[in-house]
Amino acid sequence: MVVEDRKRLRFVPPPGSIVGDYNTDSGEEEAWRLSYSPQPWKPEYKGQANLHIFEDWCGSSTGQLRNNLHYPLYPHLRTTVGKLAVSPGWTNYGLRIFGYLHPYSDGEFVFAVGSGDNSELWLSQDDSPLNLQLLAWVGKTGNEWTAPGEFGKYASQTSRPVRLSAQSRYFFEVVHKQDDRGTDHVEVAWQLGQDGTGFTVISSRYISLYTNESALMMSDVGHVPQTAASHKATGSQWADGQADMLREDPRDTFYQIPLINNRYLQGVLPDCSYNPSYIIKDFPLSRYQGLQFIHMSYVYPNDHTRLTHMETENTCFYKESPLYLERYGFSKYMRLDLPEGQERRFKFRDFRLRLREEEDLEEEDLEEEVRGDWERREKANGLLRDYGDDYDDYARRRRRKLFSVTTPKAIDAPGNATAPGLHAHRGKRPLRPVPGELKAALPPGQQNMENPPAPVKSNRANPGSHALPQGHIATAGQELGYKPANRKAVKQRKASKAVKPVKAQKPAKRVAVHPTMTNQAKMEAGRPAEAPMAVPLSVGSRRHVPNPGPGRNGMAPDRPSAGQSRRGERRAAELRAEPTLGVGAPLAGQEAEDNLIRGAGTPAGATGSERAGEGARERERRGRDSQLWEAEGDFGGEEEELTYDLTPAPVFDAEVNWSQTFQAKPLDLQVLRSDWIDLRCNVTGNLLLGAYDSLPLVQDFMEKLDQIHNGRYSLVRVVNVEKRVDAAQGSRYFLELELRDVNGQHLRLSHYIYALIRRSRPRHRGGPFPPPANEVVLCNPVGFRWNPTATVHFIVPVKNQARWVQKLIVDMEGLYRDTSDPNFNLIITDYNSTDMDIEKALHSSSLPRYQYLKLTGNFERSAGLQAGIELIKDNHSIVFLCDLHIHFPPAIIDAVRKHCVEGRMAFAPIVMRLDCGATPRDLRGYWEVNGFGLLGIYKSDLDAAGGMNTRDFTNRWGGEDWELLDRLLQSGLEVERIFLRNFFHHYHSKRGMWNRRTSPNPT
């Protein structure tokens, strides 16, 4: 709301829009209150706030963070942050930021919070953590999120005005939970009343530490404040997951306040002619072309018709394409802060958050990059997330993807080197990879797969089954018919070669090769440069891969457990006993072995002697392999002339800068929207008008009202402002203000005014002609005034819909009971319904007025509506063409009257279609932006346009509303189009309705 204080306007959120505090269990609350130990504060604490990080915790709601076993006393890390805008670039964590706030001025501050997932902002009334109150939050269920700097998405994001003093400090706490999706960020901003500066992120100048934890051990927790924000909270409003549109709004009950007498508005503004430029009277239109001439009106303040609870990931409300958002997220809306003295360079921050500067990548060029983005991230081992346990599989589960196995070439090709990642010495025998080395030798797309793809067993025993070509190794995805994500990468992997180790006269120096080592580093380590190698996997009726442990860099764990050793021994026995072979073992059957070892097979042009020589070499190699698999290792046996380096390669954790702050300007996506009907997006809601546009106009109007009536009326709040933009002639405004007269009575003002643009050219005094000067003059548009007492006729055609007709009658009775408005009439035209006596039901109802007309024949919506129109005798009353399955808000009668102006304007409110199973209290659905079947218009205007088209729309319905729209626009009317709060269309199928028949069951 907006109140007037010495002719200054300031915004005050409507009552009930923000919750103040929570309730916790009294016993639990008493326990942590008694544990509170005040900490001394020092001036050198200014410039930072305490930051506690809770890692390894999935979920996106703050309630899930409070379920963490270590919350709030034992975080993973304690550090500080220099600004209330944090973006570590990590996943599955929770943050607790607390300290003191130091206001820069006395006055009423409004706070706002934004975050990638759920967050809360708590503020104490003083410097005590025990007096915290919840001011603002993003979401309750974990499904809510905002872009960086987007403070207007949810009603709960902005707080009520809080009076603060510059001489005091106030304890605050921010709780944030981030999952593994999207751009992680949390920011808190404030503004001093309505000073016009907008929200700014709270910087280091206005925060300080609660206490200095740098010298404390992690087991020292006596100083950690336990607050209402630290513990599980309950409360009806917190548990209520309703949509923002169901919150209290003064628009919903404004009709209950009596109107100001119109004579007190005469002379406040001068009269002016109303001739908007968008009127297309007598303009020739093709059928249904009128849709192109409909424009939306802007609304202030936010009426929360945007269906934010229906937005899941990145939706049509954001202008970026899905490919762009997949690649860069919301990084374009934020700029990371760099340490002092460090130059800013162009860089990417990977893992779903990329920072770009001064470079815009065309969205159509992103598809191929996004397709290969996963592989590039896999190669950057330093960026892969590690949760500390070598045996966990969190990151592996996230990165799991099906890729084709690279087909190896002949292992004993002369001159080939050992595959990278294998720890071995040069000897007489081919080298066998140990399990950890096997994982490192896999292509990047398969190093972290829980079940790497296995080759398909030879089908010699079953010639009738489907067989893959020789030399082809199928993945699980190929067996199911899937295609690889990146064919180019797959071809490159298939072309990679495995090489044979070089024999040596004496054992070489033991060297462990890390998969990420460069060729130069390997040369310096005493190894030749190596090419990637793909290791054949086990085949057979069931796939099995020895599990080396899901190390983040594909390396073996430091030491296998006893259980793992026993499982390895049992598995070794199985491999020796059954035809399903282990990694690197020879296949049962010459053809299958040739396919696996030789890759593409022997060239078609090879001679018989060449094939015989190749077979001899293969048999010799099989003999060496059989000896190799008997050598001592993970599967037992004695080691003969071969030793292995079992020292695991080092595993590196990615560094996370938890104190990373960023800059983000308040993000107003509404200014990017157009007043054209957006047929591609049906969740956006009304266009929002900025306070900078509406409040100065309200102030100007109130000053002129003061001049006429000598301060008789004062402004209580701005309830609603609607603007119809006309850049050529001047915009039309509809002001709805709550006033208070000198007697204390509250009155409502609902009045149309015109911001007329007057153009004048300054007098020419030589030289170039000066540009014309535009002057905006507020005036009363002559002939554009709504009638607050006009009768509204709801016309509904029906046939055999007893349950819905009964609900319509009950809803209309409730409408009359809530409004006590006798000036509305329900007209039902009935196509000979047989399931209900509608006339009797109307007679026994409490409706003040109703009319019933019985029709015959098939159901025709156009004919039924026209028959109801003809029952109306008063041409100066309003016709509302209606549907049977509508939920009406109590303010519907008043809304139709206010937006219908005889001879000037009709009203087509946008209705929300509820999904199957949804109710008016459990909103799930979308706005019907395309439909104009719900239309309010004066009967005289409808008759002048020709009424309903009963000739072209006889045995069908659908399209008659668009055809009527064409004729209304050609008659010189404008059609007002806004999203109407709490105006719903119930879900129903067309089964058994109207003229539909039931087909007989063939059985």
Side-chain angles (χ1 to χ4, degrees):
M1 71 181 73
V2 175
V3 301
E4 186 180 30
D5 182 15
R6 296 182 181 179
K7 298 184 179 181
R8 289 183 63 252
L9 295 178
R10 55 188 177 89
F11 177 78
V12 181
S17 63
I18 296 296
V19 182
D21 46 34
Y22 285 14
N23 297 320
T24 58
D25 181 77
S26 58
E28 181 184 1
E29 179 178 1
E30 182 67 21
W32 57 257
R33 280 185 176 273
L34 292 176
S35 67
Y36 169 62
S37 175
Q39 301 296 312
W41 183 84
K42 300 178 182 180
E44 54 266 29
Y45 288 174
K46 294 197 69 175
Q48 293 179 318
N50 296 94
L51 173 62
H52 288 188
I53 300 101
F54 298 84
E55 289 191 72
D56 307 349
W57 200 253
C58 298
S60 52
S61 71
T62 52
Q64 290 170 308
L65 175 59
R66 292 187 178 96
N67 291 333
N68 189 305
L69 300 178
H70 308 295
Y71 188 86
L73 297 179
Y74 297 96
H76 282 68
L77 180 66
R78 296 172 183 164
T79 183
T80 61
V81 65
K83 181 195 294 186
L84 297 191
V86 186
S87 178
W90 202 245
T91 61
N92 289 325
Y93 66 85
L95 298 181
R96 185 187 182 205
I97 309 171
F98 58 93
Y100 291 110
L101 188 67
H102 301 263
Y104 57 85
S105 175
D106 297 340
E108 290 188 335
F109 286 82
V110 177
F111 292 84
V113 61
S115 56
D117 287 311
N118 288 182
S119 60
E120 300 170 10
L121 169 63
W122 297 70
L123 185 67
S124 177
Q125 302 171 0
D126 48 33
D127 60 354
S128 173
L130 302 180
N131 298 324
L132 276 183
Q133 290 186 338
L134 180 66
L135 288 189
W137 68 89
V138 174
K140 309 171 183 179
T141 65
N143 298 321
E144 302 85 359
W145 52 269
T146 73
E150 186 182 13
F151 298 126
K153 184 174 183 178
Y154 303 102
S156 61
Q157 282 186 262
T158 54
S159 74
R160 65 182 186 274
V162 180
R163 180 165 293 278
L164 303 177
S165 172
Q167 287 71 42
S168 303
R169 66 176 185 269
Y170 302 86
F171 182 84
F172 75 90
E173 184 167 343
V174 178
V175 181
H176 169 54
K177 183 66 185 73
Q178 175 68 36
D179 63 8
D180 60 348
R181 299 174 297 170
T183 303
D184 66 321
H185 65 95
V186 60
E187 61 273 5
V188 179
W190 60 356
Q191 67 175 1
L192 181 59
Q194 290 291 320
D195 56 5
T197 60
F199 286 109
T200 57
V201 171
I202 301 177
S203 65
S204 59
R205 295 177 57 188
Y206 311 112
I207 59 176
S208 67
L209 296 172
Y210 173 73
T211 188
N212 187 353
E213 301 176 294
S214 59
L216 300 177
M217 300 183 66
M218 294 299 293
S219 58
D220 298 332
V221 297
H223 67 284
V224 178
Q226 298 192 58
T227 65
S230 309
H231 297 271
K232 294 183 179 179
T234 59
S236 59
Q237 296 193 6
W238 173 261
D240 190 1
Q242 295 177 342
D244 279 348
M245 189 167 59
L246 297 181
R247 289 173 174 268
E248 275 186 37
D249 191 288
R251 295 177 178 90
D252 301 334
T253 57
F254 197 47
Y255 67 89
Q256 299 174 351
I257 301 177
L259 273 168
I260 187 174
N261 195 315
N262 192 56
R263 67 186 179 90
Y264 291 108
L265 301 180
Q266 296 177 3
V268 175
L269 297 177
D271 293 339
C272 58
S273 60
Y274 179 68
N275 187 25
S277 62
Y278 46 77
I279 297 298
I280 56 172
K281 185 176 182 179
D282 299 328
F283 186 84
L285 294 177
S286 302
R287 173 160 285 193
Y288 303 153
Q289 191 181 359
L291 285 170
Q292 302 176 13
F293 295 90
I294 298 298
H295 293 263
M296 303 294 300
S297 292
Y298 290 79
V299 172
Y300 174 86
N302 193 341
D303 62 349
H304 302 291
T305 50
R306 177 182 170 187
L307 304 180
T308 53
H309 67 291
M310 296 300 297
E311 298 176 7
T312 52
E313 290 295 326
N314 301 316
T315 67
C316 54
F317 186 81
Y318 302 93
K319 65 175 184 176
E320 292 80 12
S321 71
L323 286 177
Y324 182 94
L325 291 170
E326 169 67 20
R327 168 86 181 201
Y328 297 108
F330 290 112
S331 60
K332 67 180 296 182
Y333 299 126
M334 56 196 301
R335 178 188 291 268
L336 299 185
D337 293 324
L338 297 181
E340 294 183 5
Q342 181 176 344
E343 295 182 0
R344 180 176 296 277
R345 297 181 179 179
F346 172 79
K347 67 176 182 178
F348 290 92
R349 193 171 73 180
D350 212 327
F351 204 70
R352 305 197 181 200
L353 175 59
R354 310 293 181 95
L355 182 66
R356 306 196 310 163
E357 293 184 358
E358 302 175 359
E359 176 176 306
D360 290 327
L361 189 61
E362 295 296 334
E363 295 180 3
E364 57 266 22
D365 297 334
L366 288 173
E367 182 175 0
E368 185 64 28
E369 296 192 33
V370 172
R371 192 174 293 132
D373 193 44
W374 190 89
E375 292 180 82
R376 289 191 293 272
R377 287 197 293 243
E378 283 292 309
K379 294 178 181 179
N381 289 323
L383 293 175
L384 300 183
R385 297 334 189 219
D386 186 1
Y387 288 89
D389 186 352
D390 285 341
Y391 295 99
D392 71 12
D393 64 345
Y394 297 157
R396 179 176 55 185
R397 189 180 305 131
R398 287 200 312 271
R399 298 189 299 250
R400 185 176 301 151
K401 202 176 185 72
L402 296 175
F403 284 90
S404 297
V405 177
T406 306
T407 304
K409 299 299 182 182
I411 296 180
D412 52 356
N416 288 349
T418 309
L422 304 185
H423 306 172
H425 304 295
R426 299 173 185 176
K428 298 180 180 180
R429 297 175 183 170
L431 301 178
R432 178 183 64 83
V434 296
E437 297 161 343
L438 165 65
K439 193 168 188 178
L442 287 175
Q446 299 172 16
Q447 289 181 4
N448 294 285
M449 295 177 60
E450 185 174 3
N451 292 304
V456 177
K457 186 178 180 179
S458 172
N459 289 321
R460 293 181 63 187
N462 187 9
S465 64
H466 175 70
L468 294 173
Q470 271 195 349
H472 182 82
I473 301 177
T475 66
Q478 289 171 317
E479 292 176 13
L480 297 174
Y482 298 133
K483 296 180 179 180
N486 192 325
R487 297 183 179 180
K488 184 177 180 181
V490 173
K491 291 179 181 179
Q492 292 175 351
R493 288 195 298 272
K494 286 185 177 181
S496 63
K497 297 181 179 181
V499 292
K500 178 181 176 182
V502 179
K503 295 183 179 181
Q505 300 299 325
K506 59 180 180 179
K509 183 180 179 180
R510 302 177 63 176
V511 177
V513 181
H514 194 276
T516 59
M517 292 177 64
T518 63
N519 289 342
Q520 180 64 27
K522 294 172 184 178
M523 292 290 290
E524 294 174 356
R527 300 275 311 254
E530 298 145 351
M533 170 186 177
V535 180
L537 307 179
S538 60
V539 298
S541 58
R542 53 195 177 99
R543 300 185 208 111
H544 176 84
V545 179
N547 184 7
R552 286 298 166 259
N553 293 303
M555 310 312 300
D558 291 341
R559 182 178 299 175
S561 64
Q564 287 178 319
S565 300
R566 288 191 294 270
R567 286 194 296 270
E569 294 172 1
R570 289 195 298 269
R571 183 54 188 158
E574 293 174 5
L575 291 174
R576 290 192 295 269
E578 60 187 37
T580 301
L581 302 179
V583 177
L587 292 173
Q590 177 68 35
E591 178 184 347
E593 180 179 316
D594 290 344
N595 291 343
L596 180 62
I597 301 300
R598 290 162 49 203
T602 303
T607 63
S609 60
E610 290 173 343
R611 287 193 295 270
E614 180 67 22
R617 287 193 295 271
E618 293 298 334
R619 286 190 293 274
E620 180 183 356
R621 188 205 57 74
R622 288 199 302 272
R624 294 197 302 268
D625 276 347
S626 61
Q627 296 175 6
L628 166 67
W629 285 94
E630 292 175 359
E632 183 181 19
D634 288 351
F635 299 99
E638 294 183 0
E639 179 177 356
E640 298 179 8
E641 302 181 11
L642 185 64
T643 59
Y644 299 95
D645 182 4
L646 298 180
T647 303
V651 178
F652 297 95
D653 289 332
E655 181 182 3
V656 182
N657 184 5
W658 293 107
S659 300
Q660 177 65 65
T661 60
F662 64 92
Q663 304 173 32
K665 296 181 179 179
L667 179 63
D668 187 4
L669 296 173
Q670 293 288 341
V671 300
L672 305 178
R673 298 178 62 189
S674 167
D675 59 354
W676 292 88
I677 297 178
D678 189 355
L679 301 180
R680 301 169 301 172
C681 199
N682 53 17
V683 297
T684 54
N686 279 316
L687 298 166
L688 297 185
L689 187 64
Y692 56 86
D693 191 339
S694 55
L695 293 186
L697 182 137
V698 171
Q699 181 128 11
D700 194 6
F701 179 84
M702 289 302 302
E703 288 177 356
K704 296 182 183 303
L705 186 66
D706 258 356
Q707 294 173 3
I708 296 295
H709 299 289
N710 298 319
R712 177 183 178 89
Y713 301 101
S714 60
L715 179 65
V716 176
R717 58 181 172 180
V718 177
V719 176
N720 185 46
V721 177
E722 297 172 8
K723 178 183 180 181
R724 178 65 168 86
V725 176
D726 183 3
Q729 300 292 340
S731 300
R732 166 175 49 82
Y733 289 86
F734 183 54
L735 301 184
E736 293 198 276
L737 312 177
E738 184 177 345
L739 307 178
R740 182 172 52 241
D741 63 10
V742 292
N743 299 321
Q745 183 183 12
H746 285 245
L747 301 171
R748 66 173 171 133
L749 182 148
S750 299
H751 187 62
Y752 284 101
I753 64 175
Y754 197 28
L756 181 64
I757 299 177
R758 287 182 177 174
R759 294 179 174 85
S760 61
R761 185 176 295 276
R763 181 177 299 178
H764 179 56
R765 300 182 181 274
F769 285 93
N774 295 336
E775 180 186 8
V776 177
V777 178
L778 295 184
C779 57
N780 287 318
V782 175
F784 203 92
R785 182 176 299 172
W786 67 283
N787 183 1
T789 60
T791 301
V792 180
H793 302 271
F794 294 86
I795 305 178
V796 185
V798 301
K799 179 175 183 178
N800 288 336
Q801 293 289 304
R803 63 189 185 279
W804 288 108
V805 172
Q806 185 62 44
K807 187 179 187 314
L808 173 67
I809 295 174
V810 172
D811 288 348
M812 286 294 173
E813 289 178 322
L815 195 62
Y816 175 62
R817 184 171 55 252
D818 293 340
T819 63
S820 301
D821 190 339
N823 295 326
F824 80 94
N825 179 33
L826 176 61
I827 300 176
I828 295 181
T829 55
D830 177 23
Y831 278 90
N832 198 22
S833 294
T834 58
D835 60 350
M836 178 184 182
D837 188 342
I838 298 178
E839 187 174 17
K840 181 179 178 181
L842 287 170
H843 180 71
S844 58
S845 70
S846 60
L847 293 175
R849 293 178 59 182
Y850 68 86
Q851 290 175 276
Y852 173 78
L853 178 63
K854 193 167 188 176
L855 303 175
T856 59
N858 290 333
F859 178 86
E860 299 178 13
R861 186 175 189 270
S862 292
L865 291 173
Q866 185 61 37
I869 294 169
E870 294 172 355
L871 292 178
I872 302 172
K873 305 305 180 184
D874 183 9
N875 287 337
H876 303 292
S877 58
I878 300 174
V879 176
F880 190 75
L881 308 179
C882 196
D883 188 69
L884 180 60
H885 314 91
I886 298 298
H887 170 84
F888 299 98
I892 182 64
I893 302 174
D894 195 55
V896 172
R897 287 195 187 113
K898 290 185 295 189
H899 295 93
C900 289
V901 179
E902 190 171 8
R904 292 287 189 172
M905 187 169 70
F907 180 46
I910 301 178
V911 67
M912 179 182 174
R913 284 190 173 269
L914 298 177
D915 286 344
C916 183
T919 69
R921 302 304 300 175
D922 178 23
L923 296 186
R924 287 176 287 106
Y926 60 93
W927 292 106
E928 182 58 83
V929 296
N930 239 353
F932 287 79
L934 304 172
L935 180 72
I937 185 174
Y938 273 87
K939 184 178 184 296
S940 58
D941 294 333
L942 186 56
D943 290 342
M948 300 301 300
N949 187 344
T950 58
R951 181 186 61 185
D952 297 337
F953 299 91
T954 54
N955 295 324
R956 65 186 179 93
W957 57 95
E960 74 278 356
D961 54 342
W962 292 348
E963 190 274 340
L964 176 60
L965 178 65
D966 292 341
R967 291 185 281 116
L968 294 180
L969 295 176
Q970 287 180 307
S971 68
L973 294 177
E974 57 179 296
V975 178
E976 182 72 348
R977 187 76 163 157
I978 63 172
F979 296 82
L980 194 60
R981 286 175 49 86
N982 302 319
F983 187 42
F984 308 125
H985 184 284
H986 293 286
Y987 175 85
H988 65 88
S989 69
K990 292 183 172 61
R991 175 179 170 82
M993 293 181 61
W994 303 313
N995 304 329
R996 295 168 68 95
R997 302 176 183 178
T998 303
S999 60
N1001 194 331
T1003 58

